[in-house]
Amino acid sequence: LMSSSWLTRVGSGLTVVVMLCGGASTMTCADEQPSRTRVEYHEIQQAFFTEQFDDVRARAHAFLAQHPDSPDTPRIMVWLAIGLEQLQQSNSALRVLDQLKARLAATDPLWPELLFWEGEISRRALQLITANTAYQRVVNRYPDSRWSAQAQSGLGLIAIHHQIWDRAIERFR
């Protein structure tokens, strides 16, 4: 289980955890022998969900080196970025997200989540211009995304940081 402190830092924790689970794939048949790639994916997933972020970092780097073209690579890169941020390595986390942005197709459904995490990690690192831009892109480009409300909250937190109370209140409505 995830600690309440981590869930609080994430934002609306359970929603985010459920959303992160939504991107995970599952094996189709119980008696089907899983491939080594699937096993490695699930090991990284388990480490992420149990907050073993050092393990996420090590396993994700190994997976990305061995399977750079796997369909699971984008999800693992998101987990790696979040894990790096939790390990106080925000700049490394943002570099991972930049690498992911460079490889994603314009129509990939991961974009709203990726931009949200870019905003979230940037905001926590006090890179508020980058955070504002990323959150705003989620709100503008993906208004119906489940990440849009989270991005609105991030914009509200930036407004609070700048003591722009009216704008902050608007973002939380």
Side-chain angles (χ1 to χ4, degrees):
L1 292 175
M2 303 191 107
S3 69
S4 60
S5 64
W6 188 81
L7 291 174
T8 301
R9 288 192 307 263
V10 166
S12 63
L14 185 56
T15 303
V16 171
V17 170
V18 169
M19 289 176 192
L20 288 171
C21 290
S25 57
T26 58
M27 290 180 274
T28 56
C29 180
D31 45 29
E32 190 176 293
Q33 182 68 9
S35 71
R36 184 68 204 146
T37 305
R38 297 300 323 145
V39 169
E40 291 171 3
Y41 173 90
H42 288 289
E43 289 171 350
I44 297 166
Q45 181 185 49
Q46 180 67 27
F48 180 80
F49 288 142
T50 58
E51 299 184 54
Q52 303 300 313
F53 298 118
D54 281 323
D55 197 27
V56 170
R57 178 180 51 197
R59 289 178 183 274
H61 281 302
F63 183 95
L64 296 171
Q66 294 171 359
H67 314 288
D69 298 323
S70 167
D72 295 320
T73 294
R75 169 61 48 205
I76 288 173
M77 291 178 80
V78 171
W79 288 338
L80 174 59
I82 295 167
L84 289 168
E85 192 269 340
Q86 291 298 306
L87 294 169
Q88 308 295 313
Q89 297 176 18
S90 297
N91 289 331
S92 294
L94 292 169
R95 278 193 298 276
V96 168
L97 293 178
D98 285 342
Q99 292 168 1
L100 180 53
K101 288 192 301 187
R103 70 179 291 148
L104 279 185
T107 58
D108 194 295
L110 192 60
W111 272 105
E113 180 181 356
L114 178 143
L115 291 169
F116 167 77
W117 285 111
E118 178 182 34
E120 193 72 0
I121 293 167
S122 297
R123 181 184 59 78
R124 293 178 192 172
L126 298 176
Q127 297 179 20
L128 300 180
I129 294 171
T130 302
N132 188 73
T133 300
Y135 286 141
Q136 202 60 58
R137 283 183 180 151
V138 175
V139 170
N140 292 343
R141 294 180 186 173
Y142 310 100
D144 297 327
S145 162
R146 57 187 170 185
W147 295 97
S148 185
Q150 300 259 357
Q152 286 283 6
S153 295
L155 289 166
L157 292 171
I158 291 171
I160 287 171
H161 178 84
H162 291 298
Q163 299 181 358
I164 306 171
W165 311 118
D166 292 342
R167 189 177 304 158
I169 290 169
E170 289 173 19
R171 296 294 185 177
F172 290 110
R173 286 189 179 167

